[in-house]
Amino acid sequence: MVSRRDFLKTLASAAIVSSTGGKIIASVSGRGRNCVIVGAGLAGLSAGYRLIKSGWNVTIIEARQRIGGRVFSYRFPQNANLVCELGAEWIGESHQRIQELCREFSLELKTHRFDDYLLRDGRVYRPGEWGFSEKAKKAFEKLVADYPKMTLRQKARLDRIDWWRKLSGIGFSTDDLLLRDLMDSTDFGESIRHVSAFAALAEYAESCPHNEMDFKITGGNQRLTEEFAARIGMQSFRPGERVEEITQRRTEVFIKTDKQNYKADACIVTAPVASVRKIKFTPPLTARKRAALEELTYSRIVKNAVLFEERFWPADDFSLVSDTSSHYYFHSTQNQPDKQGILCSYAIGEKADLLASQSDRRRMSAITHDLRDFEKRAGELSLSIASYAWQRDEFTEGAYALYRPGQWFSLRPILQEPHGKVLFAGEHLADWQGFMEGAIETGEAAADALIK
């Protein structure tokens, strides 16, 4: 079977060539084994850690004032004992590399799976009381079972249509499609009418039974980024600097930021495409790479964590698929003993834009109002809200890459291509696209291409 993971081979086996130059103010020390990494998210951190262990010198430039990128653990001032995630959320059962790193760093993983309720048209359905029609279930099971036998040509053909259209074509009724849209849109950040059918099928066919929503790091996922940073060494980081130009000349790469310049033997760019588009490259990127960077968009997602005075939901593994302003609610403080608890409301697309435009007070009122059909006291039990609208983040302009019909096989290979001695990494290029695992895999693949 040709899986999405095979695309990483393109990155790992990339040839490294050279090009043009600029004036130097600051330089990375050492000879022949120096790398500047753009971005201190998990792709940049994993690349830096891999290179450090192989004897390289690294400098990691990060535009934010903090490391971690889209990993963003949060604690409410009203209850610092509880932690939730306003960014990257889950570690899947199939995500072997991040699990290995957690063991290496002595980070405990706790089970964080869910049992979904459904709130639809004001009615609450318990787990097991709702689902798809028998025709839709059988058609979906066959689709997944046939996936390993698909040829590359069949996958490319599937990529050209959207997920809604594909499911409709195999017998999903309108009601089945609407339910699937509620469930799947939270995985992609937009309606399944806008998602590549291949990208969607691959996500579900290659996932574990819980769709890789299995574990979290005890104490917050940000502990992983902190452990990376401690092992790399804080002296290697340059927070609060924005890369403006990357120039290549013969065997050297020159990186100009808004504060100073750097020289290195190679560069790994792990920033999301919105930030890469703002960098001037000399020699310039190929026309097709510039076009691919312009074409790829990221999903609109706002995560709203609401702290409640008491846990009114019936179980620790509570989650709720909903047709309200948020498509999904889940218990963020699973396995964190306390009277108080946090529910995360997960809104996508136009609904995410609508909620993001409200004040915290109005946003919390809207979310708790939507929950009244499940618990009429939701509003009076709410204490505080913490929200992050990733589509408004100036560095990412979205939560994670959204591959629309026709883009998986056309854009990704182009975006993966190195540009001379500049390599690229990030979740948007990953097999496990949209997951922390994917960011780590691409960062390590880029590092390996330099080490060998």
Side-chain angles (χ1 to χ4, degrees):
M1 179 181 74
V2 180
S3 74
R4 295 176 300 164
R5 185 160 288 133
D6 291 328
F7 280 99
L8 289 176
K9 295 177 182 177
T10 303
L11 189 63
S13 62
I16 310 301
V17 296
S18 61
S19 274
T20 136
K23 181 180 179 184
I24 304 305
I25 300 172
S27 66
V28 184
S29 61
R31 290 184 179 180
R33 296 166 67 85
N34 311 306
C35 183
V36 166
I37 298 171
V38 180
L42 281 177
L45 293 170
S46 59
Y49 182 54
R50 191 83 134 201
L51 290 171
I52 287 284
K53 289 173 67 176
S54 296
W56 282 61
N57 299 297
V58 301
T59 297
I60 303 179
I61 302 172
E62 171 55 52
R64 301 181 195 271
Q65 292 294 340
R66 63 173 181 85
I67 65 168
R70 282 166 279 173
V71 178
F72 185 14
S73 302
Y74 181 81
R75 296 176 187 270
F76 282 91
Q78 297 93 328
N79 191 334
N81 294 322
L82 301 177
V83 62
C84 62
E85 306 295 337
L86 293 180
E89 193 84 38
W90 288 288
I91 296 170
E93 185 178 298
S94 302
H95 297 171
Q96 295 302 310
R97 184 58 188 136
I98 193 170
Q99 292 183 49
E100 291 170 359
L101 286 165
C102 286
R103 288 192 290 269
E104 180 181 344
F105 297 164
S106 298
L107 297 174
E108 180 187 20
L109 291 178
K110 285 194 173 181
T111 300
H112 212 284
R113 298 186 177 109
F114 299 108
D115 204 5
D116 293 336
Y117 284 68
L118 173 67
L119 174 59
R120 197 175 188 190
D121 192 24
R123 180 179 173 184
V124 176
Y125 301 83
R126 299 176 60 85
E129 293 179 344
W130 63 280
F132 299 98
S133 67
E134 285 302 314
K135 182 178 180 180
K137 285 191 288 188
K138 289 179 180 178
F140 189 80
E141 288 169 0
K142 184 179 186 304
L143 187 64
V144 170
D146 289 344
Y147 174 77
K149 297 176 285 187
M150 290 180 67
T151 66
L152 189 58
R153 179 175 292 183
Q154 288 172 325
K155 291 178 179 181
R157 189 182 305 122
L158 182 60
D159 179 48
R160 292 196 288 268
I161 65 173
D162 64 71
W163 190 220
W164 177 287
R165 179 179 166 190
K166 177 60 182 177
L167 295 176
S168 176
I170 63 173
F172 274 58
S173 67
T174 299
D175 193 64
D176 289 322
L177 289 167
L178 291 171
L179 186 56
R180 192 83 209 186
D181 198 29
L182 289 180
M183 296 174 62
D184 292 1
S185 61
T186 56
D187 292 326
F188 304 108
E190 296 287 346
S191 167
I192 62 173
R193 295 175 177 87
H194 307 307
V195 176
S196 156
F198 171 76
L201 176 58
E203 168 106 356
Y204 301 121
E206 297 180 18
S207 293
C208 70
H210 299 279
N211 197 25
E212 308 306 335
M213 298 163 62
D214 296 290
F215 309 108
K216 289 187 184 179
I217 297 173
T218 301
N221 292 338
Q222 209 160 315
R223 292 186 61 202
L224 177 60
T225 65
E226 293 166 354
E227 292 293 334
F228 267 127
R231 285 160 174 76
I232 293 169
M234 292 308 298
Q235 73 280 357
S236 296
F237 291 89
R238 303 293 185 273
E241 291 192 30
R242 299 180 185 230
V243 173
E244 297 177 341
E245 297 182 26
I246 298 178
T247 302
Q248 301 181 64
R249 182 177 59 198
R250 295 188 298 275
T251 60
E252 296 174 317
V253 184
F254 303 85
I255 298 91
K256 178 182 181 297
T257 76
D258 57 350
K259 295 184 178 178
Q260 57 184 325
N261 290 5
Y262 301 87
K263 177 178 72 175
D265 302 297
C267 177
I268 300 175
V269 176
T270 70
V273 296
S275 292
V276 178
R277 285 197 295 261
K278 299 172 185 176
I279 299 173
K280 178 183 177 182
F281 289 86
T282 305
L285 299 175
T286 63
R288 70 177 197 157
K289 197 174 190 76
R290 292 196 304 271
L293 287 168
E294 290 295 334
E295 190 174 342
L296 185 65
T297 58
Y298 280 40
S299 56
R300 294 172 291 173
I301 292 175
V302 58
K303 296 185 75 172
N304 303 295
V306 180
L307 177 67
F308 289 94
E309 180 61 40
E310 67 179 63
R311 303 184 181 193
F312 56 80
W313 41 97
D316 215 30
D317 63 353
F318 170 77
S319 62
L320 179 71
V321 177
S322 169
D323 62 357
T324 60
S325 60
S326 296
H327 286 184
Y328 199 51
Y329 299 83
F330 58 88
H331 179 202
S332 294
T333 44
Q334 191 176 139
N335 297 313
Q336 297 182 52
D338 201 286
K339 177 188 175 183
Q340 296 180 348
I342 300 170
L343 285 184
C344 180
S345 139
Y346 198 95
I348 64 97
E350 285 80 6
K351 291 182 177 181
D353 283 338
L354 179 62
L355 284 173
S357 69
Q358 309 300 307
S359 66
D360 281 349
R361 180 183 61 80
R362 286 178 58 84
R363 192 180 302 115
M364 187 163 73
S365 176
I367 291 166
T368 55
H369 181 273
D370 288 343
L371 288 170
R372 284 196 311 174
D373 290 313
F374 187 86
E375 172 53 66
K376 63 182 180 181
R377 299 177 300 147
E380 60 192 75
L381 291 173
S382 60
L383 297 175
S384 187
I385 188 170
S387 302
Y388 203 88
W390 285 98
Q391 68 271 32
R392 294 190 174 191
D393 184 280
E394 63 174 311
F395 305 109
T396 64
E397 297 181 8
Y400 34 75
L402 172 68
Y403 280 91
R404 298 177 184 273
Q407 292 186 335
W408 187 269
F409 288 94
S410 63
L411 299 188
R412 275 168 45 91
I414 297 171
L415 293 171
Q416 287 174 327
E417 292 173 355
H419 178 61
K421 293 173 72 68
V422 178
L423 288 85
F424 298 88
E427 64 80 20
H428 59 293
L429 303 179
D431 168 39
W432 287 114
Q433 184 260 315
F435 286 99
M436 293 183 286
E437 175 83 353
I440 291 170
E441 286 185 343
T442 62
E444 292 183 337
D448 289 343
L450 296 178
I451 292 167
K452 70 176 186 179

